[in-house]
Amino acid sequence: MDISVIFQFLKDLAANNNREWFNAHRDYYEAARSEFDHLLSAVISRIALFDESVRCLEPKDCTYRIYRDTRFSEDKTPYKIHFGGYINAKGKKSYHCGYYVHLQPDNCLLAGGSYCLPSPLLRAIRQAVYDNMTEYRSIVEDPLFKQYFPVVGETFLKTAPKGFPKDYPYLKYLQCKEYTVACSQPDHFFFEPDCLDRIDDIFRQMKRFSDFINYTIDEFEYE
């Protein structure tokens, strides 16, 4: 596995984000994508040791197209300048929490959670957090979890969500608009000899959070 090929390709693509350059360097892209698939395959194997649900997945089940959808964007550059893999037994478009690996020079991260939740499901998750706050806090306030994931969510309400008390002492756990977590990493993290061990540790900590959220999603789906 040659991680350097991935990063060098992405740097070159960012500097030459046009169809002419990409088409002339398609073999370069295929080599970089193949190395990313090798990385994902190794990560899937490690995750499967503590989450058997992903054991059947292959990199092709987890990766995304390099082509950007520019229809509604002011940025018309045709290609993404990162490689992303979402390891999720329920599929890349599932609301269930999965394990996300994002490689982009100077913007790498390991992440997961539930994104773009429909309002009824978001409400159900907030209710589950509210009803099981002691358990939820034992997860997200655990120092082993917080060393990687200090914050849950990316965007937040300014006040209490509808139906919840405004003076609730743990209101911050109900105000996030998505139940996601992310752990940024420097590029050199992925070059270290113990990289897979460290990814394993990060995602093991995330699984406790994911299990809590996924249990509520499963209950919601079967109501």
Side-chain angles (χ1 to χ4, degrees):
M1 185 165 58
D2 189 352
I3 296 296
S4 63
V5 172
I6 301 171
F7 280 92
Q8 190 58 56
F9 169 77
L10 291 173
K11 289 176 183 178
D12 291 341
L13 177 60
N16 301 277
N17 199 333
N18 61 77
R19 291 180 177 83
E20 292 76 18
W21 183 89
F22 187 87
N23 289 332
H25 295 81
R26 185 168 291 275
D27 289 346
Y28 188 14
Y29 161 66
E30 295 293 348
R33 188 182 68 172
S34 178
E35 293 301 330
F36 185 69
D37 284 352
H38 289 324
L39 173 64
L40 274 189
S41 181
V43 172
I44 291 169
S45 295
R46 297 298 289 263
I47 294 174
L49 296 176
F50 60 85
D51 185 348
E52 292 188 356
S53 70
V54 307
R55 192 178 300 278
C56 62
L57 295 179
E58 299 178 15
K60 65 181 178 64
D61 303 315
C62 309
T63 50
Y64 297 89
R65 287 162 50 88
I66 193 73
Y67 308 99
R68 295 183 62 249
D69 183 351
T70 62
R71 291 175 297 172
F72 308 107
S73 174
E74 293 183 4
D75 179 3
K76 297 302 181 182
T77 51
Y79 305 106
K80 300 171 186 174
I81 55 173
H82 68 267
F83 283 134
Y86 192 36
I87 302 166
N88 190 327
K90 299 286 187 177
K92 290 180 291 186
K93 296 183 179 181
S94 171
Y95 294 126
H96 282 73
C97 295
Y99 309 88
Y100 180 61
V101 178
H102 181 99
L103 263 57
Q104 179 179 349
D106 299 321
N107 190 29
C108 297
L109 56 87
L110 302 170
S114 294
Y115 300 77
C116 302
L117 294 164
S119 295
L121 181 52
L122 178 58
R123 162 79 188 189
I125 293 174
R126 285 173 171 156
Q127 189 66 54
V129 171
Y130 182 82
D131 292 342
N132 302 278
M133 185 56 72
T134 299
E135 178 187 356
Y136 185 76
R137 288 181 61 215
S138 74
I139 297 170
V140 300
E141 295 181 5
D142 185 334
L144 294 175
F145 180 88
K146 290 194 71 172
Q147 69 176 320
Y148 301 127
F149 308 114
V151 178
V152 175
E154 300 173 22
T155 56
F156 303 86
L157 298 174
K158 293 183 179 180
T159 185
K162 185 177 180 180
F164 295 94
K166 294 182 179 180
D167 59 350
Y168 186 57
Y170 306 113
L171 189 59
K172 65 180 180 179
Y173 295 133
L174 307 176
Q175 288 175 303
C176 48
K177 296 180 181 180
E178 57 285 304
Y179 281 84
T180 59
V181 292
C183 178
S184 297
Q185 295 292 349
D187 296 356
H188 67 76
F189 172 92
F190 295 92
F191 291 84
E192 300 294 339
D194 63 347
C195 169
L196 290 175
D197 291 335
R198 295 168 69 183
I199 292 174
D200 180 293
D201 188 51
I202 291 168
F203 281 150
R204 279 180 187 268
Q205 292 301 323
M206 195 185 77
K207 185 177 184 296
R208 298 179 296 154
F209 168 80
S210 298
D211 286 346
F212 183 99
I213 302 300
N214 286 343
Y215 179 83
T216 300
I217 294 174
D218 289 337
E219 290 292 299
F220 179 85
E221 289 181 346
Y222 288 109
E223 286 181 357

